[in-house]
PDB file of all heavy atoms in Angstrom:
ATOM      1  N   ALA A  11      69.692  32.510  25.019  1.00  0.00           N
ATOM      2  CA  ALA A  11      71.031  31.918  24.990  1.00  0.00           C
ATOM      3  C   ALA A  11      71.690  32.127  23.636  1.00  0.00           C
ATOM      4  O   ALA A  11      71.047  32.480  22.645  1.00  0.00           O
ATOM      5  CB  ALA A  11      70.937  30.422  25.286  1.00  0.00           C
ATOM      6  N   ILE A  12      72.975  31.898  23.628  1.00  0.00           N
ATOM      7  CA  ILE A  12      73.744  31.768  22.386  1.00  0.00           C
ATOM      8  C   ILE A  12      74.212  30.328  22.302  1.00  0.00           C
ATOM      9  O   ILE A  12      74.849  29.813  23.231  1.00  0.00           O
ATOM     10  CB  ILE A  12      74.934  32.745  22.360  1.00  0.00           C
ATOM     11  CG1 ILE A  12      74.422  34.192  22.342  1.00  0.00           C
ATOM     12  CG2 ILE A  12      75.816  32.481  21.136  1.00  0.00           C
ATOM     13  CD1 ILE A  12      75.517  35.237  22.474  1.00  0.00           C
ATOM     14  N   TRP A  13      73.844  29.679  21.204  1.00  0.00           N
ATOM     15  CA  TRP A  13      74.244  28.293  20.979  1.00  0.00           C
ATOM     16  C   TRP A  13      75.565  28.240  20.232  1.00  0.00           C
ATOM     17  O   TRP A  13      75.848  29.078  19.380  1.00  0.00           O
ATOM     18  CB  TRP A  13      73.206  27.574  20.130  1.00  0.00           C
ATOM     19  CG  TRP A  13      71.886  27.276  20.760  1.00  0.00           C
ATOM     20  CD1 TRP A  13      71.318  27.903  21.825  1.00  0.00           C
ATOM     21  CD2 TRP A  13      70.955  26.280  20.329  1.00  0.00           C
ATOM     22  NE1 TRP A  13      70.084  27.362  22.081  1.00  0.00           N
ATOM     23  CE2 TRP A  13      69.838  26.366  21.182  1.00  0.00           C
ATOM     24  CE3 TRP A  13      70.966  25.339  19.304  1.00  0.00           C
ATOM     25  CZ2 TRP A  13      68.728  25.540  21.036  1.00  0.00           C
ATOM     26  CZ3 TRP A  13      69.860  24.516  19.145  1.00  0.00           C
ATOM     27  CH2 TRP A  13      68.758  24.606  20.010  1.00  0.00           C
ATOM     28  N   GLU A  14      76.351  27.216  20.539  1.00  0.00           N
ATOM     29  CA  GLU A  14      77.515  26.867  19.734  1.00  0.00           C
ATOM     30  C   GLU A  14      77.180  25.568  19.006  1.00  0.00           C
ATOM     31  O   GLU A  14      76.842  24.563  19.626  1.00  0.00           O
ATOM     32  CB  GLU A  14      78.752  26.682  20.602  1.00  0.00           C
ATOM     33  CG  GLU A  14      80.010  26.361  19.795  1.00  0.00           C
ATOM     34  CD  GLU A  14      81.199  26.056  20.684  1.00  0.00           C
ATOM     35  OE1 GLU A  14      81.241  24.923  21.228  1.00  0.00           O
ATOM     36  OE2 GLU A  14      82.057  26.930  20.842  1.00  0.00           O
ATOM     37  N   VAL A  15      77.256  25.610  17.679  1.00  0.00           N
ATOM     38  CA  VAL A  15      76.890  24.474  16.849  1.00  0.00           C
ATOM     39  C   VAL A  15      78.118  23.985  16.096  1.00  0.00           C
ATOM     40  O   VAL A  15      78.812  24.780  15.452  1.00  0.00           O
ATOM     41  CB  VAL A  15      75.783  24.853  15.840  1.00  0.00           C
ATOM     42  CG1 VAL A  15      75.412  23.668  14.960  1.00  0.00           C
ATOM     43  CG2 VAL A  15      74.557  25.399  16.565  1.00  0.00           C
ATOM     44  N   ASP A  16      78.380  22.689  16.196  1.00  0.00           N
ATOM     45  CA  ASP A  16      79.466  22.102  15.418  1.00  0.00           C
ATOM     46  C   ASP A  16      79.045  22.072  13.950  1.00  0.00           C
ATOM     47  O   ASP A  16      78.021  21.492  13.598  1.00  0.00           O
ATOM     48  CB  ASP A  16      79.770  20.691  15.913  1.00  0.00           C
ATOM     49  CG  ASP A  16      80.967  20.091  15.191  1.00  0.00           C
ATOM     50  OD1 ASP A  16      82.114  20.332  15.609  1.00  0.00           O
ATOM     51  OD2 ASP A  16      80.723  19.381  14.177  1.00  0.00           O
ATOM     52  N   ARG A  17      79.848  22.689  13.096  1.00  0.00           N
ATOM     53  CA  ARG A  17      79.457  22.845  11.697  1.00  0.00           C
ATOM     54  C   ARG A  17      79.389  21.509  10.958  1.00  0.00           C
ATOM     55  O   ARG A  17      78.549  21.319  10.066  1.00  0.00           O
ATOM     56  CB  ARG A  17      80.438  23.793  10.989  1.00  0.00           C
ATOM     57  CG  ARG A  17      79.895  24.375   9.694  1.00  0.00           C
ATOM     58  CD  ARG A  17      80.754  25.522   9.223  1.00  0.00           C
ATOM     59  NE  ARG A  17      82.021  25.085   8.680  1.00  0.00           N
ATOM     60  CZ  ARG A  17      82.205  24.692   7.421  1.00  0.00           C
ATOM     61  NH1 ARG A  17      81.185  24.660   6.586  1.00  0.00           N
ATOM     62  NH2 ARG A  17      83.402  24.340   7.002  1.00  0.00           N
ATOM     63  N   ALA A  18      80.215  20.585  11.345  1.00  0.00           N
ATOM     64  CA  ALA A  18      80.280  19.311  10.631  1.00  0.00           C
ATOM     65  C   ALA A  18      79.160  18.354  11.025  1.00  0.00           C
ATOM     66  O   ALA A  18      78.636  17.612  10.199  1.00  0.00           O
ATOM     67  CB  ALA A  18      81.635  18.643  10.872  1.00  0.00           C
ATOM     68  N   THR A  19      78.771  18.380  12.306  1.00  0.00           N
ATOM     69  CA  THR A  19      77.834  17.376  12.807  1.00  0.00           C
ATOM     70  C   THR A  19      76.468  17.931  13.190  1.00  0.00           C
ATOM     71  O   THR A  19      75.494  17.173  13.287  1.00  0.00           O
ATOM     72  CB  THR A  19      78.414  16.679  14.046  1.00  0.00           C
ATOM     73  OG1 THR A  19      78.529  17.644  15.115  1.00  0.00           O
ATOM     74  CG2 THR A  19      79.782  16.084  13.739  1.00  0.00           C
ATOM     75  N   GLY A  20      76.388  19.234  13.448  1.00  0.00           N
ATOM     76  CA  GLY A  20      75.143  19.810  13.953  1.00  0.00           C
ATOM     77  C   GLY A  20      74.982  19.664  15.456  1.00  0.00           C
ATOM     78  O   GLY A  20      74.011  20.184  16.037  1.00  0.00           O
ATOM     79  N   ASN A  21      75.900  18.993  16.109  1.00  0.00           N
ATOM     80  CA  ASN A  21      75.833  18.905  17.566  1.00  0.00           C
ATOM     81  C   ASN A  21      75.959  20.306  18.168  1.00  0.00           C
ATOM     82  O   ASN A  21      76.719  21.142  17.664  1.00  0.00           O
ATOM     83  CB  ASN A  21      76.947  18.012  18.111  1.00  0.00           C
ATOM     84  CG  ASN A  21      76.768  16.565  17.696  1.00  0.00           C
ATOM     85  OD1 ASN A  21      75.655  16.114  17.437  1.00  0.00           O
ATOM     86  ND2 ASN A  21      77.876  15.830  17.622  1.00  0.00           N
ATOM     87  N   HIS A  22      75.237  20.553  19.247  1.00  0.00           N
ATOM     88  CA  HIS A  22      75.247  21.900  19.799  1.00  0.00           C
ATOM     89  C   HIS A  22      75.261  21.868  21.326  1.00  0.00           C
ATOM     90  O   HIS A  22      74.926  20.867  21.947  1.00  0.00           O
ATOM     91  CB  HIS A  22      74.024  22.682  19.312  1.00  0.00           C
ATOM     92  CG  HIS A  22      72.721  22.153  19.831  1.00  0.00           C
ATOM     93  ND1 HIS A  22      72.065  21.095  19.252  1.00  0.00           N
ATOM     94  CD2 HIS A  22      71.963  22.526  20.892  1.00  0.00           C
ATOM     95  CE1 HIS A  22      70.951  20.845  19.919  1.00  0.00           C
ATOM     96  NE2 HIS A  22      70.865  21.685  20.919  1.00  0.00           N
ATOM     97  N   ARG A  23      75.661  23.001  21.871  1.00  0.00           N
ATOM     98  CA  ARG A  23      75.639  23.198  23.315  1.00  0.00           C
ATOM     99  C   ARG A  23      75.320  24.667  23.582  1.00  0.00           C
ATOM    100  O   ARG A  23      75.412  25.509  22.683  1.00  0.00           O
ATOM    101  CB  ARG A  23      76.988  22.834  23.944  1.00  0.00           C
ATOM    102  CG  ARG A  23      78.124  23.779  23.570  1.00  0.00           C
ATOM    103  CD  ARG A  23      79.448  23.346  24.178  1.00  0.00           C
ATOM    104  NE  ARG A  23      80.548  24.249  23.845  1.00  0.00           N
ATOM    105  CZ  ARG A  23      81.006  25.227  24.647  1.00  0.00           C
ATOM    106  NH1 ARG A  23      80.442  25.426  25.831  1.00  0.00           N
ATOM    107  NH2 ARG A  23      82.013  25.998  24.264  1.00  0.00           N
ATOM    108  N   ILE A  24      74.938  24.962  24.817  1.00  0.00           N
ATOM    109  CA  ILE A  24      74.704  26.350  25.210  1.00  0.00           C
ATOM    110  C   ILE A  24      76.065  26.989  25.498  1.00  0.00           C
ATOM    111  O   ILE A  24      76.767  26.573  26.421  1.00  0.00           O
ATOM    112  CB  ILE A  24      73.791  26.438  26.439  1.00  0.00           C
ATOM    113  CG1 ILE A  24      72.433  25.788  26.155  1.00  0.00           C
ATOM    114  CG2 ILE A  24      73.616  27.893  26.857  1.00  0.00           C
ATOM    115  CD1 ILE A  24      71.655  26.449  25.039  1.00  0.00           C
ATOM    116  N   PHE A  25      76.426  27.979  24.701  1.00  0.00           N
ATOM    117  CA  PHE A  25      77.692  28.683  24.889  1.00  0.00           C
ATOM    118  C   PHE A  25      77.566  29.703  26.022  1.00  0.00           C
ATOM    119  O   PHE A  25      78.471  29.834  26.854  1.00  0.00           O
ATOM    120  CB  PHE A  25      78.085  29.367  23.591  1.00  0.00           C
ATOM    121  CG  PHE A  25      79.386  30.121  23.649  1.00  0.00           C
ATOM    122  CD1 PHE A  25      80.594  29.449  23.606  1.00  0.00           C
ATOM    123  CD2 PHE A  25      79.403  31.508  23.743  1.00  0.00           C
ATOM    124  CE1 PHE A  25      81.804  30.139  23.662  1.00  0.00           C
ATOM    125  CE2 PHE A  25      80.599  32.210  23.794  1.00  0.00           C
ATOM    126  CZ  PHE A  25      81.802  31.525  23.754  1.00  0.00           C
ATOM    127  N   ALA A  26      76.473  30.461  26.047  1.00  0.00           N
ATOM    128  CA  ALA A  26      76.223  31.444  27.104  1.00  0.00           C
ATOM    129  C   ALA A  26      74.716  31.548  27.284  1.00  0.00           C
ATOM    130  O   ALA A  26      73.949  31.373  26.331  1.00  0.00           O
ATOM    131  CB  ALA A  26      76.823  32.797  26.754  1.00  0.00           C
ATOM    132  N   SER A  27      74.265  31.865  28.500  1.00  0.00           N
ATOM    133  CA  SER A  27      72.835  31.859  28.800  1.00  0.00           C
ATOM    134  C   SER A  27      72.454  33.076  29.632  1.00  0.00           C
ATOM    135  O   SER A  27      73.307  33.889  29.996  1.00  0.00           O
ATOM    136  CB  SER A  27      72.462  30.570  29.538  1.00  0.00           C
ATOM    137  OG  SER A  27      73.177  30.465  30.765  1.00  0.00           O
ATOM    138  N   GLY A  28      71.152  33.172  29.924  1.00  0.00           N
ATOM    139  CA  GLY A  28      70.661  34.322  30.694  1.00  0.00           C
ATOM    140  C   GLY A  28      70.685  35.609  29.901  1.00  0.00           C
ATOM    141  O   GLY A  28      70.750  36.687  30.476  1.00  0.00           O
ATOM    142  N   ILE A  29      70.590  35.493  28.563  1.00  0.00           N
ATOM    143  CA  ILE A  29      70.656  36.650  27.665  1.00  0.00           C
ATOM    144  C   ILE A  29      69.279  36.783  27.015  1.00  0.00           C
ATOM    145  O   ILE A  29      68.950  36.040  26.095  1.00  0.00           O
ATOM    146  CB  ILE A  29      71.753  36.459  26.604  1.00  0.00           C
ATOM    147  CG1 ILE A  29      73.093  36.119  27.271  1.00  0.00           C
ATOM    148  CG2 ILE A  29      71.888  37.701  25.750  1.00  0.00           C
ATOM    149  CD1 ILE A  29      74.197  35.766  26.295  1.00  0.00           C
ATOM    150  N   ARG A  30      68.481  37.728  27.462  1.00  0.00           N
ATOM    151  CA  ARG A  30      67.048  37.746  27.142  1.00  0.00           C
ATOM    152  C   ARG A  30      66.759  37.690  25.647  1.00  0.00           C
ATOM    153  O   ARG A  30      65.996  36.845  25.184  1.00  0.00           O
ATOM    154  CB  ARG A  30      66.374  38.983  27.750  1.00  0.00           C
ATOM    155  CG  ARG A  30      64.870  39.096  27.433  1.00  0.00           C
ATOM    156  CD  ARG A  30      64.291  40.325  28.095  1.00  0.00           C
ATOM    157  NE  ARG A  30      62.899  40.533  27.741  1.00  0.00           N
ATOM    158  CZ  ARG A  30      62.482  41.259  26.717  1.00  0.00           C
ATOM    159  NH1 ARG A  30      63.374  41.821  25.894  1.00  0.00           N
ATOM    160  NH2 ARG A  30      61.196  41.430  26.489  1.00  0.00           N
ATOM    161  N   ASN A  31      67.319  38.607  24.878  1.00  0.00           N
ATOM    162  CA  ASN A  31      67.055  38.605  23.439  1.00  0.00           C
ATOM    163  C   ASN A  31      68.279  39.102  22.690  1.00  0.00           C
ATOM    164  O   ASN A  31      68.355  40.268  22.302  1.00  0.00           O
ATOM    165  CB  ASN A  31      65.837  39.472  23.103  1.00  0.00           C
ATOM    166  CG  ASN A  31      65.435  39.362  21.644  1.00  0.00           C
ATOM    167  OD1 ASN A  31      65.750  38.383  20.968  1.00  0.00           O
ATOM    168  ND2 ASN A  31      64.730  40.362  21.146  1.00  0.00           N
ATOM    169  N   PRO A  32      69.254  38.223  22.464  1.00  0.00           N
ATOM    170  CA  PRO A  32      70.440  38.611  21.707  1.00  0.00           C
ATOM    171  C   PRO A  32      70.120  38.640  20.215  1.00  0.00           C
ATOM    172  O   PRO A  32      69.365  37.812  19.719  1.00  0.00           O
ATOM    173  CB  PRO A  32      71.446  37.497  22.035  1.00  0.00           C
ATOM    174  CG  PRO A  32      70.590  36.290  22.296  1.00  0.00           C
ATOM    175  CD  PRO A  32      69.312  36.811  22.897  1.00  0.00           C
ATOM    176  N   ASN A  33      70.678  39.598  19.500  1.00  0.00           N
ATOM    177  CA  ASN A  33      70.480  39.680  18.050  1.00  0.00           C
ATOM    178  C   ASN A  33      71.809  39.815  17.333  1.00  0.00           C
ATOM    179  O   ASN A  33      72.302  38.872  16.755  1.00  0.00           O
ATOM    180  CB  ASN A  33      69.535  40.834  17.702  1.00  0.00           C
ATOM    181  CG  ASN A  33      68.080  40.465  17.830  1.00  0.00           C
ATOM    182  OD1 ASN A  33      67.453  40.012  16.885  1.00  0.00           O
ATOM    183  ND2 ASN A  33      67.520  40.636  19.020  1.00  0.00           N
ATOM    184  N   GLY A  34      72.396  41.016  17.361  1.00  0.00           N
ATOM    185  CA  GLY A  34      73.672  41.216  16.695  1.00  0.00           C
ATOM    186  C   GLY A  34      74.764  40.358  17.307  1.00  0.00           C
ATOM    187  O   GLY A  34      74.852  40.201  18.519  1.00  0.00           O
ATOM    188  N   LEU A  35      75.605  39.795  16.440  1.00  0.00           N
ATOM    189  CA  LEU A  35      76.782  39.034  16.856  1.00  0.00           C
ATOM    190  C   LEU A  35      77.957  39.503  16.022  1.00  0.00           C
ATOM    191  O   LEU A  35      77.830  39.693  14.810  1.00  0.00           O
ATOM    192  CB  LEU A  35      76.591  37.535  16.619  1.00  0.00           C
ATOM    193  CG  LEU A  35      75.700  36.737  17.552  1.00  0.00           C
ATOM    194  CD1 LEU A  35      75.551  35.309  17.018  1.00  0.00           C
ATOM    195  CD2 LEU A  35      76.257  36.708  18.973  1.00  0.00           C
TER     196      LEU A  35
END
């Protein structure tokens, strides 16, 4: 997955999933 993390709080959610091994962004 690719996580989305709130920079101020550290709260996170799954932004996108089913992605075996993502590296470059």
Side-chain angles (χ1 to χ4, degrees):
I12 295 173
W13 290 22
E14 182 185 77
V15 179
D16 184 85
R17 199 167 73 85
T19 66
N21 293 334
H22 67 277
R23 68 182 181 98
I24 300 298
F25 181 77
S27 60
I29 307 174
R30 179 179 175 269
N31 187 23
N33 277 269
L35 285 174

